[in-house]
């Protein structure tokens, strides 16, 4: 049985960097050996939950501008799994969650950057799923709950997003995290480790600096989905916490 995880995907340059966080992700991939991967990425937004049902190898989406040229030639030739996509649709339907298939969309950088670091051989089938940032956090959690039996088949659910994600606050010269960013993350971490869902669902009202840390919720949504898909009766575990550029948080949780 594999856990579910939440990872911060950072900027696309993470794919070619060598630092504490990339080393962590590489080691994490070595420690979790799934038969397939289901990844919810903050860069795939749809009103209706959309499941990639790609036959064969995914195309690449370079959904960023002004970065090093080598990033635009990177490939992550993972195969899709229409069979798993159909299974996911059935599981969501059991929770009255509407969904649809997409047979053409490639992997965006919220997916391939993380997968490239964790599973560089690209030999594990991948199904990419969209997020809807306008749903309540309770509903996001229910989307995770709907598919929480996947772990029993050694299918890894990954939520790929970020906790603090405000690009306007990035300081390229910073060597330490900003106090306000850490305050927000520490509140979130404390409530997650206690599995205090009641307070987590109200994070926007209760967490310090919430509006500043999360101007839009698309990057935080994968956290709640991953949380919902975790192992029942097991408390979440913080696996990693670090920062880059003052406010770009690299946090990973196991559920």
């Amino acid at each position: 049985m594999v856990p579910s995880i939440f990872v911060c995907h950072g900027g696309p340059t993470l794919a070619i960097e060598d630092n504490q966080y990339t080393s962590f992700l590489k080691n994490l991939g070595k420690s979790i050996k799934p038969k397939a991967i289901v990844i919810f990425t903050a860069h795939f937004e749809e009103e209706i939950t959309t499941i990639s049902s790609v036959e064969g190898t995914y195309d690449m989406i370079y959904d960023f501008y002004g970065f090093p040229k080598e990033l635009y030639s990177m490939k992550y030739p993972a195969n899709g799994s229409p069979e798993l996509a159909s299974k996911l649709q059935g599981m969501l339907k059991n929770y009255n969650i509407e969904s649809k298939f997409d047979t053409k969309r490639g992997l965006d950088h919220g997916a391939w950057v993380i997968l490239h670091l964790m599973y560089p051989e690209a030999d594990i089938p991948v199904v990419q799923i969209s997020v809807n940032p306008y749903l309540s956090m309770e509903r996001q959690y229910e989307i995770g709950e709907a598919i929480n039996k996947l772990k029993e088949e050694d299918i890894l659910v990954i939520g790929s997003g970020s906790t603090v994600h405000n690009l306007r606050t990035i300081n390229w010269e910073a060597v330490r995290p900003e106090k306000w960013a850490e305050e927000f993350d520490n509140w979130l971490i404390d409530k997650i480790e206690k599995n205090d869902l009641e307070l987590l669902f109200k994070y926007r009202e209760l967490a310090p600096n919430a509006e500043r840390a999360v101007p839009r919720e698309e990057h935080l949504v994968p956290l709640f989905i991953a949380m919902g898909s975790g192992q029942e009766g097991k408390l979440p575990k913080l696996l990693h916490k670090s920062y880059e550029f003052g406010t770009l948080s690299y946090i990973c949780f196991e559920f």
Side-chain angles (χ1 to χ4, degrees), residues 117-162:
L117 291 166
M118 290 182 65
Y119 301 107
E121 299 301 319
D123 55 357
I124 302 171
V126 175
V127 173
Q128 187 175 236
I129 305 184
S130 69
V131 299
N132 179 353
Y134 300 104
L135 299 177
S136 69
M137 289 304 168
E138 290 92 336
R139 191 58 169 166
Q140 312 291 2
Y141 187 88
E142 287 174 358
I143 291 172
E145 278 189 313
I147 62 171
N148 70 4
K149 297 298 183 185
L150 290 177
K151 58 184 175 291
E152 298 174 3
E153 301 178 42
D154 289 331
I155 297 172
L156 175 63
V157 176
I158 300 176
S160 175
S162 191

Side-chain angles (χ1 to χ4, degrees), residues 8 10-11 14 17 19-22 162-166 169-189 208-209 213 238 240-253:
C8 292
L14 200 65
E17 292 175 1
N19 55 39
Q20 179 188 4
Y21 187 50
T22 59
S162 191
T163 52
V164 178
H165 189 265
N166 187 338
T169 66
I170 282 179
N171 178 357
W172 301 103
E173 307 300 324
V175 295
R176 297 183 183 87
E178 293 283 350
K179 182 181 178 181
W180 67 263
E182 276 207 292
E183 285 176 348
F184 174 78
D185 277 339
N186 288 341
W187 185 94
L188 207 61
I189 289 166
N209 313 306
L238 179 67
H240 181 88
K241 178 190 176 192
S242 62
Y243 293 84
E244 196 170 29
F245 311 130
T247 65
L248 189 60
S249 58
Y250 292 146
I251 284 176
C252 181
F253 263 102

Side-chain angles (χ1 to χ4, degrees), residues 4 140-148 151 197 223-232 255:
S4 297
Q140 312 291 2
Y141 187 88
E142 287 174 358
I143 291 172
E145 278 189 313
I147 62 171
N148 70 4
K151 58 184 175 291
L197 297 178
L223 169 64
F224 283 83
I225 295 174
M227 202 184 312
S229 68
Q231 297 181 25
E232 296 174 14
F255 301 104

Side-chain angles (χ1 to χ4, degrees), residues 5 15 32 43 46 53 57 97 104-105 119 122 130 144 167 172 192 207-208 225 236:
I5 60 172
I32 303 174
H43 292 271
E46 295 285 345
S53 183
T57 305
I97 297 167
K104 296 181 180 180
R105 190 179 191 276
Y119 301 107
S130 69
L167 300 183
W172 301 103
I192 292 171
I225 295 174

